[in-house]
Amino acid sequence: MKLTLSTETLTQALRPVVRGVPTRPDSPVATGLRLTATDGTLRLLAGADPATSVRTAVPASVHEDGTAVLPGRTLHSLARTFPAGAPLDLTVEGSLAHLQFGGTRISLPLLDADEYPQLPDLPRSVGTVEGRALAAAVHHIAVAAGVDDTLPMLMGIRFELVGNTLKLTATDRYRLAVQAIPIQRTVRRAPSVPCVIPAKILRATAADFRRAQTVTVGLPASEAQQFSLSAEDLTVTHRPLDARHYPDISKVVPTSSGTQVVLERAALIEALTRAVALAGEYVPVNLAVQPGGPLVVTGGSCYGGSTREELGTRSSKGAPLRAAFNPGFLLAGLRILKSRTVQLDLTTAQRPVVLQTPGVDRAGLRYLVMPVRMASDAVSDGPTAN
């Protein structure tokens, strides 16, 4: 194999592909990237990790066709030190790969290409989405994904087709985020297998596609298939988590609200931030609202300190209500909404509060926080948390 390409082209191609190299490889060849040169193209593949594969292609002047497996992370680390825009010659001779530019020559040992695993077939495409919308939705929804590895199914983002939208959901049991983005569908019926992808790695993957005008989405139709995203010459696959026991969120999301408040998002963030500064992000705060009145935010600590703030509202309607919530969870939701104002929908002190941008339809981003059950709730059904 012998080819020439620019150092910058190789460095940019390696950035997303190297994420597919496992951090804890089970064999030496698993640390490798497979490079294939043919027809004026260099194809790069990281496919040794059963959970993730990444493949891309870049233009190159191919002098001799061939395939070689090089140490992936080592190649990426070296490429980051290369001067931008310099012509790079990559030549494979015997058991070595030689990289040469200017007066620099670097030799890397090859890995056994015959032992490199074969990739599974890509799932069937279900449609295309806009890259920026996908990256933003994944970023928003991932906030609510779990971090407890004893419940791996909650560490992911769930994908499903709903009409002409791709619906994303994440929950750690204490909060939930849900958003739907438009999709140009290529199939009439959605795959029947629930698809939950690890949130941490999906955030990095979605960021790689944020500049793509269209991203093709592949959803698995069976447990043996993977989830895929493709745009131009970049394709990434992820093995879904076991979603057989994923929570039924339809039982959690309120279909109506008895109390609704609209206020400045920044004012609520400031009030909650002060409560956290006093008592920490895990000490509950109380939200109390009277129709036509302010939203009252109260917090306290075990050392006797307390905060109380009355926040003016744009609108406040429904039944009087007081409920307690984790302030850290509330702040996380407020920070991803970004809008100037925020709408809070509540039903009872025992049901979640829904945070969303006012005037956005039900397909927009919604963030739910479960209430904290206070000691006084045990002796009263009313919203008497203090």
Side-chain angles (χ1 to χ4, degrees):
M1 183 171 76
K2 187 175 182 180
L3 59 96
T4 302
L5 75 168
S6 76
T7 52
E8 189 172 5
T9 297
L10 179 63
T11 302
Q12 291 178 348
L14 287 169
R15 182 182 57 81
V17 176
V18 77
R19 294 199 184 108
V21 177
T23 55
R24 297 180 180 178
D26 55 7
S27 66
V29 74
T31 67
L33 295 178
R34 190 175 75 191
L35 278 61
T36 302
T38 184
D39 298 329
T41 302
L42 175 64
R43 293 178 171 81
L44 299 89
L45 166 68
D49 187 344
T52 300
S53 75
V54 186
R55 66 194 89 181
T56 191
V58 293
S61 297
V62 178
H63 312 300
E64 294 180 10
D65 294 356
T67 297
V69 178
L70 278 65
R73 296 191 182 278
T74 300
L75 180 60
H76 180 243
S77 296
L78 286 170
R80 293 173 66 184
T81 70
F82 293 167
L88 170 71
D89 293 322
L90 194 161
T91 305
V92 172
E93 295 178 346
S95 61
L96 294 175
H98 307 290
L99 293 84
Q100 185 169 348
F101 57 90
T104 301
R105 180 181 171 92
I106 301 169
S107 297
L108 289 175
L110 299 179
L111 301 172
D112 191 343
D114 292 335
E115 294 184 4
Y116 206 74
Q118 296 295 318
L119 286 181
D121 293 336
L122 292 175
R124 182 183 179 186
S125 165
V126 296
T128 60
V129 298
E130 196 262 330
R132 181 179 297 180
L134 174 67
V138 169
H139 175 73
H140 296 155
I141 299 303
V143 170
V147 295
D148 183 359
D149 57 10
T150 64
L151 295 169
M153 65 178 174
L154 297 183
M155 297 177 70
I157 294 176
R158 188 180 190 273
F159 288 79
E160 62 178 323
L161 286 174
V162 180
N164 291 319
T165 65
L166 182 65
K167 183 178 178 182
L168 288 70
T169 307
T171 181
D172 61 3
R173 296 183 300 172
Y174 307 106
R175 52 185 168 167
L176 181 149
V178 58
Q179 184 174 1
I181 59 175
I183 184 170
Q184 295 291 328
R185 293 183 59 163
T186 55
V187 295
R188 291 185 178 181
R189 298 185 61 185
S192 59
V193 178
C195 184
V196 180
I197 308 302
K200 183 177 180 180
I201 192 169
L202 185 61
R203 290 184 70 169
T205 297
D208 288 331
F209 290 95
R210 67 183 181 277
R211 293 187 177 89
Q213 187 173 4
T214 58
V215 179
T216 300
V217 180
L219 295 181
S222 69
E223 295 181 1
Q225 288 188 327
Q226 297 199 333
F227 167 91
S228 70
L229 297 173
S230 302
E232 298 177 350
D233 293 318
L234 177 64
T235 297
V236 181
T237 68
H238 293 305
R239 181 175 62 188
L241 299 169
D242 184 351
R244 288 175 294 179
H245 302 293
Y246 198 82
D248 182 0
I249 66 168
S250 64
K251 299 179 180 179
V252 178
V253 180
T255 57
S256 62
S257 63
T259 302
Q260 185 182 95
V261 181
V262 177
L263 73 161
E264 296 291 323
R265 184 176 66 94
L268 183 53
I269 288 177
E270 291 174 2
L272 293 171
T273 301
R274 283 187 280 269
V276 169
L278 173 71
E281 62 179 333
Y282 297 110
V283 176
V285 296
N286 285 284
L287 304 183
V289 60
Q290 291 281 346
L295 176 69
V296 180
V297 181
T298 56
S301 74
C302 58
Y303 302 106
S306 65
T307 61
R308 185 181 188 279
E309 302 198 34
E310 293 188 1
L311 306 181
T313 61
R314 295 286 187 92
S315 66
S316 175
K317 58 185 179 181
L321 183 67
R322 174 187 283 184
F325 300 95
N326 178 307
F329 290 169
L330 289 174
L331 283 169
L334 290 167
R335 287 167 178 156
I336 64 173
L337 284 173
K338 304 298 184 183
S339 55
R340 182 175 179 180
T341 58
V342 61
Q343 177 177 311
L344 278 62
D345 293 317
L346 304 102
T347 50
T348 71
Q350 289 75 42
R351 297 283 290 166
V353 58
V354 180
L355 282 64
Q356 59 188 335
T357 299
V360 174
D361 61 32
R362 294 183 66 84
L365 174 62
R366 287 180 293 163
Y367 182 89
L368 287 71
V369 181
M370 298 299 295
V372 177
R373 187 171 177 82
M374 308 298 285
S376 56
D377 295 340
V379 295
S380 174
D381 291 331
T384 57
N386 294 307

